[in-house]
Amino acid sequence: MRRLMNVRWLGAALTILVLATVCIQLGRWQLHRLHDREVRNGVTTSNLAAPPAPIDQIVGPQGVVGDQHAWRTAVVTGHFDASKQIVLRYRNVNDRPGFEIITPLVLPSGKAVLIDRGFLARQGAELAPGKVPAVPAGEVTITGRLQRSERGGSTNGGTPDNGTARLINGPAYAKALGLDLYDGYLMVDSQVPANDPAFGKFPGPEIDSGPHFFYALQWFLFAILAVGGLIYFTRRPATDAAGEVVAERNEVPEPAAPRD
């Protein structure tokens, strides 16, 4: 019986140690996420303060917008190709559902960049915007914030289907639209001729540390509680065993029954 109890106790102790280890690893993971977020915030702050520049000067000849370019102000000049415009569905800005309108801007070089022209709030239960503002005719100069292509894991939300999509993905749009596109897109900040006032402005980036530090503290606290519980319960079996030994030593044997 005592041996069975020892086996159960060892199993419980190992389970507690494994849980404590998992909690510690989750806490470290949250600290890594905090570090990554702080690095990203530093890049974003630097890019927001940088002066506007031509897009090729920022992203280089490969035309790939990376994380290091997020929120950098780029300037492009060309003409809109409204025939290949895409309506983004299931978008939210400031907790308001709606649509974003993506229109390729063809540059003099022949290469095109996806322009997020703005946000249109959903009216009622509509599944598509009732009216999309027309693009300006002729040459357009746009100053906006660069963003990397959006990715949705294994979903195909970045591939346009019947003029709509859920994500903005340069390579996927390039195949579907037959354009030589930059890998990334530009959110309109200002435009000449002016952008249609029906479009809502986009909010700026969130530059904060997020909840990662407090999540890490919680996981470390769980680990401490688990180890503390293990220490507490390791003392109980030892005390019980000592009590059993004392009881055995002090036990007085019953007198044998007399024989006939």
Side-chain angles (χ1 to χ4, degrees), residues 1 8 10 20 24 37 75 84 130 132 143 147 157 163 165 206 223:
M1 182 67 178
R8 290 179 177 175
L10 287 174
I24 291 173
R37 185 156 184 163
V75 181
K84 297 180 179 179
V132 176
T143 302
Q147 302 291 343
E206 295 182 359

Side-chain angles (χ1 to χ4, degrees), residues 20-81:
T21 302
V22 170
C23 289
I24 291 173
Q25 293 302 320
L26 288 172
R28 294 180 62 188
W29 173 63
Q30 287 292 343
L31 290 180
H32 285 307
R33 293 191 65 189
L34 173 62
H35 172 72
D36 292 342
R37 185 156 184 163
E38 289 175 342
V39 171
R40 185 169 65 250
N41 287 344
V43 172
T44 300
T45 301
S46 177
N47 286 344
L48 288 172
I55 187 170
D56 287 334
Q57 182 177 320
I58 298 172
V59 303
Q62 294 183 341
V64 178
V65 180
D67 291 331
Q68 70 274 22
H69 305 126
W71 298 99
R72 184 74 162 79
T73 304
V75 181
V76 291
T77 299
H79 66 275
F80 280 117
D81 186 350

Side-chain angles (χ1 to χ4, degrees), residues 9-240:
W9 182 87
L10 287 174
L14 287 175
T15 301
I16 292 174
L17 288 175
V18 170
L19 289 175
T21 302
V22 170
C23 289
I24 291 173
Q25 293 302 320
L26 288 172
R28 294 180 62 188
W29 173 63
Q30 287 292 343
L31 290 180
H32 285 307
R33 293 191 65 189
L34 173 62
H35 172 72
D36 292 342
R37 185 156 184 163
E38 289 175 342
V39 171
R40 185 169 65 250
N41 287 344
V43 172
T44 300
T45 301
S46 177
N47 286 344
L48 288 172
I55 187 170
D56 287 334
Q57 182 177 320
I58 298 172
V59 303
Q62 294 183 341
V64 178
V65 180
D67 291 331
Q68 70 274 22
H69 305 126
W71 298 99
R72 184 74 162 79
T73 304
V75 181
V76 291
T77 299
H79 66 275
F80 280 117
D81 186 350
S83 66
K84 297 180 179 179
Q85 184 165 266
I86 302 297
V87 176
L88 284 184
R89 303 171 63 184
Y90 309 111
R91 308 296 278 196
N92 283 275
V93 172
N94 294 328
D95 295 328
R96 293 191 64 188
F99 313 91
E100 293 175 29
I101 309 302
I102 309 300
T103 311
L105 185 78
V106 182
L107 310 184
S109 64
K111 199 174 180 68
V113 58
L114 295 173
I115 303 297
D116 192 340
R117 297 171 57 204
F119 176 77
L120 299 175
R122 190 177 69 186
Q123 305 299 320
E126 63 180 6
L127 299 178
K131 180 182 178 181
V132 176
V135 298
E139 187 176 84
V140 180
T141 297
I142 295 174
T143 302
R145 302 289 186 176
L146 286 170
Q147 302 291 343
R148 56 169 282 183
S149 290
E150 299 174 350
R151 296 170 176 83
S154 59
T155 68
N156 61 351
T159 301
D161 181 18
N162 196 28
T164 66
R166 297 184 64 177
L167 304 173
I168 313 172
N169 186 282
Y173 278 40
K175 293 180 182 179
L177 303 179
L179 293 172
D180 181 13
L181 289 170
Y182 286 85
D183 186 352
Y185 65 101
L186 195 65
M187 299 168 60
V188 172
D189 191 18
S190 63
Q191 178 180 299
V192 180
N195 199 15
D196 195 292
F199 286 116
K201 290 277 188 177
F202 293 110
E206 295 182 359
I207 304 178
D208 56 42
S209 298
H212 304 299
F213 178 73
F214 297 101
Y215 286 163
L217 286 182
Q218 288 179 355
W219 286 118
F220 291 143
L221 178 60
F222 292 153
I224 292 173
L225 291 175
V227 174
L230 177 60
I231 294 174
Y232 172 75
F233 285 109
T234 54
R235 299 179 60 85
R236 290 188 61 187
T239 303
D240 294 344

Side-chain angles (χ1 to χ4, degrees), residues 247-255:
E248 291 176 358
R249 290 179 180 177
N250 294 335
E251 185 178 353
V252 178
E254 295 181 2

